[in-house]
């Protein structure tokens, strides 16, 4: 069974194709478009999410944040913080003292439209430096607290919209607080439990 799962993952990423959507430079100023990898076959989403969080995130980091080693040994740390039940948004902490870079890596995983107009499962990463990530968590908390009465007066009708650079958030209530996140063709729910866990673990990880 284990060999079958590993084979499925290997086949998944062999058949997956990457389509670069022109999202400009990432937040740190490190050059590179936000590449979306489309998944050509169906398999267990939680297995794929684990692969994305543990291994594909490292590939993104070395290619898009750290860059060339110039013959040096580069040490860096990553740790998965949280994922929602649908595995649509995965949060990962990242630190590299040698390039003085640290922060939050968000892995988006879900349906997206490829260059041919087909709706397929895909994943992509969005990096946010630590200070900006902490400010984003704080801002979302403040927005939710400030607009709590407005949102609760009509569930799933009254919404609050905010932006962070190229990421858009719609905050509302539907059996509890909901955060819908729009970025680079993805539309995912950042569940409150996963949001709070990401915020708490990120803060603890960088103490």
């Amino acid at each position: 069974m284990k060999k079958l799962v590993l084979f499925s993952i290997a086949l998944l990423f062999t058949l997956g194709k990457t389509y670069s959507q022109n999202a400009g430079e990432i937040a740190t100023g490190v050059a590179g478009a936000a590449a979306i990898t489309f998944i050509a076959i169906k398999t267990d989403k939680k297995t794929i999410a684990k692969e994305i969080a543990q291994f594909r995130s490292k590939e993104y980091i070395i290619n898009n944040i750290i860059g060339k080693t110039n013959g040096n040994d580069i040490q860096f740390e990553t740790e998965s913080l949280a994922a929602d039940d649908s595995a649509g948004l995965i949060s990962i902490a990242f630190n590299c003292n040698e390039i003085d870079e640290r922060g939050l890596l968000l892995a988006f995983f879900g349906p997206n439209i490829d260059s041919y107009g087909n709706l397929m499962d895909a994943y992509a990463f969005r990096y946010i430096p630590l200070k900006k990530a902490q400010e984003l968590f704080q801002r979302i908390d403040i927005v939710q607290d400030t607009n709590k009465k407005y949102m609760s007066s009509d569930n799933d009708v009254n919404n609050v919209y905010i932006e962070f650079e190229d990421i858009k958030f719609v905050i509302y209530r539907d059996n509890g607080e909901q955060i819908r996140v729009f970025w680079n063709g993805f539309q995912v729910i950042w569940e409150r439990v996963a949001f709070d866990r990401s915020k708490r673990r990120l803060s603890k990880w960088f103490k």
Side-chain angles (χ1 to χ4, degrees):
M1 181 65 183
K2 185 176 180 181
K3 288 183 179 179
L4 180 60
V5 171
L6 291 174
F7 174 76
S8 298
I9 292 172
L11 184 60
L12 166 72
F13 290 106
T14 300
L15 296 179
K17 57 182 178 179
T18 300
Y19 170 61
S20 178
Q21 296 201 353
N22 187 16
E25 296 185 350
I26 63 174
T28 58
V30 180
I36 297 176
T37 300
F38 289 91
I39 300 171
I41 62 173
K42 299 289 183 181
T43 188
D44 178 62
K45 282 198 169 185
K46 289 195 174 181
T47 301
I48 302 170
K50 185 176 180 180
E51 168 77 8
I52 291 169
Q54 292 187 351
F55 303 109
R56 296 293 155 171
S57 62
K58 292 179 175 65
E59 180 182 28
Y60 175 86
I61 286 167
I62 62 175
N63 289 336
N64 296 278
I65 303 177
I66 296 176
K68 293 186 179 297
T69 65
N70 296 318
N72 298 318
D73 299 334
I74 307 293
Q75 297 178 344
F76 71 96
E77 300 86 43
T78 64
E79 184 173 334
S80 298
L81 301 176
D84 56 59
D85 289 338
S86 64
L89 190 62
I90 305 161
S91 58
I92 303 152
F94 160 74
N95 179 67
C96 181
N97 291 328
E98 293 181 56
I99 64 167
D100 193 26
E101 196 67 58
R102 58 198 53 83
L104 175 70
L105 190 64
L106 293 178
F108 288 77
F109 177 39
N112 207 317
I113 299 174
D114 70 10
S115 57
Y116 302 101
N118 301 313
L119 188 65
M120 297 179 61
D121 284 333
Y123 70 89
F125 297 99
R126 175 61 160 84
Y127 174 60
I128 306 175
L130 179 59
K131 185 178 180 181
K132 287 188 176 183
Q134 291 170 332
E135 290 172 352
L136 175 61
F137 281 123
Q138 185 178 33
R139 185 182 179 197
I140 291 174
D141 279 338
I142 291 171
V143 168
Q144 287 180 323
D145 289 341
T146 303
N147 296 277
K148 186 171 291 185
K149 185 177 180 180
Y150 168 73
M151 291 187 294
S152 61
S153 65
D154 207 341
N155 284 352
D156 204 18
V157 172
N158 292 352
N159 308 276
V160 181
Y161 166 51
I162 63 171
E163 288 182 323
F164 171 79
E165 297 177 351
D166 60 339
I167 312 174
K168 299 177 181 180
F169 301 87
V170 174
I171 304 169
Y172 60 100
R173 288 186 63 85
D174 183 17
N175 295 321
E177 295 174 345
Q178 302 286 347
I179 306 168
R180 189 172 291 272
V181 189
F182 302 81
W183 175 74
N184 211 14
F186 290 96
Q187 182 183 155
V188 300
I189 295 290
W190 200 350
E191 295 171 357
R192 186 71 211 195
V193 172
F195 174 87
D196 286 338
R197 188 176 294 138
S198 298
K199 177 181 63 177
R200 183 175 64 253
R201 289 181 175 176
L202 184 73
S203 178
K204 185 178 180 180
W205 205 62
F206 283 106
K207 274 187 178 179

